Amino acid sequence: MSSTKTRTILRASQVLAPLALTVLAGQPALAIDEIIVTVRQRSESIQDVPGSVTAFSAAQIEASGIQRADDFIAMTPGVSIVNSAEVADTQVNIRGINGARDAETNYALIIDGVLMTNPAALNREYTNLQQIEVLKGPQGALYGRNAAAGAIIITTEKPGDEWGGNVKASLAEDDTYTLSGLIGGPVSDTLGLSVSGDFRDTDGYYSNSYFETFGGDTDVVDNFRSWDVAARAVWQPTDALTIDGKVRVGEVEAGSISFNSVFHIPSLVGVLIGGFGYAPEVAAFGNENVNGHDFKFDNNIVPFNNQDTVEVSVKADYDLGWADLTAWGLYSDIENDLGADGTSGAFGFFWQEQQCIDTTNDLGFYPVIPPQIIVPEGAFGPG
């Protein structure tokens, strides 16, 4: 018997033995809680869904500290996210089907039963999450266009039968801190109301070498500050009818396009240097460990990303006895502005222009040799 099989049998024995002892002792075996999902627009056990679903319960959300889309996507197999251009341009990849920049989404986003058609709707704070479901694979039959990759269903908590709430705060390095709060409860026997808010602020992880040297309003490229205020009212005038109304107002002030750093590909450095006639000494700087690379940003304008959000939605559910009738309406206005050095600046596409040459020479603290090779000060001797 191979060692691999032996380890497998031992592990199985370690798991099954306690169960067997429990049954022999006349005690009930361990039970697994049933997971109810709504990915097919009706409540059912996750085991009955003929597809791949990853679900996060309220307890898992709390234990994992999930607050944004990045958090739960990082824990979802087969799903990834790119969020380095701007807050409104989040690209989600589900099972290899990737979203494009500055385009409509490739997945359906449903928040509390309402289909969010605005591409910028996913990247926000979530203060009162109850459950998250990620359905992988094409879902056009259920959710129509723009669901070629899958669907993300997010459910938040409704106002409860008693008044209550919560306040959460966190503090981290790089002047990063968050604050959120919620209060809600019954206004009458048929009406529940909740109000929530959140604030997030961080200086980011990367600095701008240009503004560190010459000064400016900020020397970081991926700073982020946002706030949101939301209210929700759930009215149930009869046992059969429920009307759920929500409004949210928010604002973001952040950096943008933080991926346009100075870098180079080691295998191409020699070719580029030879092709452009640069000094062979520069080739030595092409062979470095990418994990230890110190990314340099030298944008000569302060990158900015401003976003203003107003969302209003109403959802009505009526129990017909033999079926549920649902209707909803949504108004989503997300204005997004950004400015930054573009890819043409990062890759030195205009390095032959005299204006660019003069600007580069005026930097003084290191020579920039296009395309995209930064030589540390003193690499070629004094001066």
Side-chain angles (χ1 to χ4, degrees):
M1 181 179 294
S2 67
S3 59
T4 301
K5 293 182 179 179
T6 301
R7 286 196 298 269
T8 302
I9 293 174
L10 289 175
R11 288 170 183 162
S13 300
Q14 292 169 355
V15 174
L16 294 176
L19 294 178
L21 291 175
T22 301
V23 175
L24 291 174
Q27 299 177 0
L30 295 177
I32 299 176
D33 293 336
E34 185 179 25
I35 301 174
I36 303 299
V37 295
T38 60
V39 292
R40 294 201 294 173
Q41 300 186 3
R42 61 177 181 270
S43 298
E44 60 184 335
S45 172
I46 193 173
Q47 294 179 329
D48 296 332
V49 179
S52 177
V53 182
T54 298
F56 300 89
S57 65
Q60 292 173 318
I61 292 170
E62 182 69 21
S64 303
I66 294 175
Q67 295 178 324
R68 298 178 61 83
D70 308 58
D71 301 330
F72 69 82
I73 287 179
M75 296 185 289
T76 305
V79 182
S80 61
I81 187 172
V82 175
N83 191 25
S84 60
E86 52 179 303
V87 68
D89 191 18
T90 298
Q91 303 163 61
V92 176
N93 182 303
I94 302 177
R95 285 186 166 182
I97 301 179
N98 193 30
R101 286 188 59 195
D102 303 319
E104 295 180 339
T105 62
N106 60 336
Y107 60 91
L109 174 63
I110 300 89
I111 301 179
D112 292 325
V114 177
L115 177 64
M116 310 299 290
T117 57
N118 198 314
L122 175 67
N123 204 4
R124 63 172 74 180
E125 306 292 328
Y126 298 95
T127 58
N128 56 338
L129 289 168
Q130 177 178 321
Q131 184 162 301
I132 302 170
E133 307 159 32
V134 181
L135 178 58
K136 306 162 193 175
Q139 306 302 327
L142 289 174
Y143 300 108
R145 57 176 290 180
N146 299 336
I152 299 175
I153 298 90
I154 296 175
T155 304
T156 61
E157 295 180 358
K158 294 181 179 180
D161 297 331
E162 298 180 357
W163 281 95
N166 62 73
V167 176
K168 300 178 182 179
S170 66
L171 178 65
E173 61 183 1
D174 297 309
D175 291 329
T176 300
Y177 52 91
T178 64
L179 177 66
S180 67
L182 178 143
I183 185 172
V187 177
S188 66
D189 293 339
T190 60
L191 179 63
L193 177 67
S194 66
V195 178
S196 63
D198 59 77
F199 179 79
R200 176 183 292 265
D201 189 25
T202 179
D203 272 354
Y205 302 98
Y206 300 105
S207 59
N208 187 318
S209 299
Y210 183 91
F211 288 108
E212 279 184 335
T213 303
F214 296 101
D217 295 335
T218 179
D219 60 357
V220 296
V221 297
D222 57 340
N223 56 300
F224 185 89
R225 174 177 292 181
S226 71
W227 62 263
D228 294 279
V229 176
R232 183 178 188 179
V234 179
W235 182 43
Q236 191 172 7
T238 68
D239 292 338
L241 177 63
T242 301
I243 298 177
D244 187 351
K246 298 195 302 179
V247 59
R248 181 175 75 97
V249 178
E251 183 178 286
V252 173
E253 295 180 0
S256 64
I257 312 186
S258 58
F259 55 80
N260 278 343
S261 171
V262 174
F263 67 96
H264 52 236
I265 303 174
S267 61
L268 297 180
V269 170
V271 177
L272 294 174
I273 293 174
F276 290 94
Y278 296 128
E281 294 90 338
V282 183
F285 298 97
N287 301 316
E288 66 173 306
N289 185 349
V290 295
N291 294 321
H293 180 74
D294 184 17
F295 287 94
K296 295 288 186 180
F297 294 84
D298 61 346
N299 307 330
N300 59 7
I301 67 171
V302 177
F304 68 89
N305 181 192
N306 300 325
Q307 183 182 102
D308 297 308
T309 300
V310 176
E311 285 182 350
V312 180
S313 67
V314 178
K315 178 174 174 284
D317 293 289
Y318 190 80
D319 186 358
L320 299 174
W322 53 274
D324 293 329
L325 178 64
T326 299
W328 56 265
L330 169 69
Y331 172 80
S332 177
D333 183 13
I334 302 180
E335 297 183 3
N336 190 76
D337 298 316
L338 75 152
D341 275 351
T343 305
S344 57
F347 287 89
F349 291 163
F350 303 106
W351 65 275
Q352 289 182 318
E353 298 291 333
Q354 188 60 47
Q355 182 178 0
C356 293
I357 295 174
D358 294 341
T359 302
T360 300
N361 291 334
D362 289 341
L363 289 176
F365 58 101
Y366 56 69
V368 178
I369 302 178
Q372 213 54 48
I373 300 172
I374 283 192
V375 181
E377 184 178 357
F380 304 133

